[in-house]
Amino acid sequence: MKDNIPTNGITTEQWSEVLVQALPYFKNWCGKVVVVKYGGNAMLNESLKQAVMEDIVLLSTIGIKVVLVHGGGPEINNMLERLGKESKFVDGLRYTDGETMEIVQMVLTGKLNKDIVGILVQKGGRAVGLSGVDSGLLRAKKSDKDLGFVGEVTEVHPDILNSMLDEGFIPVVSTVALGEDGDDARYNINADTAAAKIAVALKAEKFVQLTNVPGVLRDVNDPSTLIKRIERTAIGSLKATGIISSGMIPKIDCCLTALLGGVPRTHIIDGRLPHSLLIEMFSERGIGTMIY
């Protein structure tokens, strides 16, 4: 044993305890499908990005079938600004005209997706970049709201994902979708919604959203009021009392989509905490909020 191995103040006994505690979780999750939606601060902060990719590679290495679905709103905003493209909003939602859709596709599938794949490969993972267009993975229709080329997922064809997972690859999915049959348009899809529907199509064991908040809080100004577990039937009352409100509503609704589609566990966890995904997967205390 090398004497200069850094311990960060943790004793050998403590290291052993952590590993022993994690072992049953390794066995339990091996061979299971986990869909992770990646975005928020975990995507913008470089050190957090590296930590997330390390987590994903570790999960894959021990035999967990991980699908990583990503968004990219801030990067799209930056590119539009650089190109001098003025953003138009309808009821607070971005209107995506044809030119903007080309930029969205370029940023999501051409840059961000390959950046993520590159980091995973550098970390020792076997990653493949896909979009919803590949093999017709995602089909969409125009949103009921007049938002241009913003779509709603109507079908998920997961064959290409299953093939990649069976071969030990980590599929990294950007959420640009094909139109329905007879519609040759491309549509920008909300990444949270797409990830939830992909989890259903894959019969995933777990759906995880990495976000910018600790989870569902009884008091949004007090992290100590985190609600660690929420049964699906309690969501209505939590919305009625305002505990689930604002930006948390669509995240919860995506969890509901997954649950109603047969995914047994859904989680909203804080992507600002390094290795939060590992803490959730491999520890007794978990992290964030589980909706079940």
Side-chain angles (χ1 to χ4, degrees), residues 87-280:
S87 297
K88 176 184 175 183
F89 293 88
V90 178
D91 295 330
L93 300 173
R94 181 188 300 283
Y95 182 89
T96 304
D97 60 21
E99 185 180 14
T100 301
M101 187 60 225
E102 290 183 4
I103 296 169
V104 167
Q105 185 166 248
M106 176 181 68
V107 172
L108 289 182
T109 68
K111 182 182 186 300
L112 277 176
N113 188 267
K114 301 312 176 188
D115 287 348
I116 293 169
V117 169
I119 297 173
L120 288 169
V121 171
Q122 289 174 339
K123 298 290 184 184
R126 301 176 68 213
V128 176
L130 300 169
S131 76
V133 174
D134 292 302
S135 192
L137 171 59
L138 297 176
R139 291 280 185 173
K141 67 175 183 178
K142 183 180 173 66
S143 173
D144 292 336
K145 298 180 179 179
D146 186 13
L147 297 171
F149 292 94
V150 172
E152 298 175 0
V153 175
T154 56
E155 297 177 76
V156 179
H157 299 279
D159 291 353
I160 190 170
L161 296 179
N162 283 319
S163 295
M164 294 294 99
L165 292 170
D166 288 344
E167 292 296 325
F169 289 99
I170 305 166
V172 180
V173 181
S174 62
T175 54
V176 173
L178 277 175
E180 296 178 302
D181 290 343
D183 180 0
D184 62 357
R186 305 290 188 270
Y187 289 99
N188 185 18
I189 307 296
N190 177 275
D192 294 299
T193 303
K197 295 198 172 186
I198 287 172
V200 170
L202 290 172
K203 298 180 173 59
E205 191 70 22
K206 186 189 285 278
F207 169 52
V208 180
Q209 295 181 74
L210 288 172
T211 69
N212 299 337
V213 294
V216 179
L217 304 175
R218 292 192 179 277
D219 179 352
V220 294
N221 298 312
D222 184 359
S224 69
T225 63
L226 175 70
I227 305 176
K228 294 186 177 181
R229 295 167 62 92
I230 298 175
E231 191 172 359
R232 179 174 64 83
T233 54
I235 290 175
S237 62
L238 291 173
K239 285 183 177 180
T241 56
I243 292 174
I244 295 176
S245 63
S246 189
M248 186 56 69
I249 291 177
K251 298 183 190 306
I252 292 291
D253 288 346
C254 287
C255 290
L256 277 175
T257 296
L259 288 170
L260 294 172
V263 179
R265 300 176 184 85
T266 68
H267 301 259
I268 297 172
I269 67 176
D270 195 341
R272 299 170 300 179
L273 298 177
H275 303 297
S276 57
L277 189 55
L278 294 186
I279 297 171
E280 170 52 45

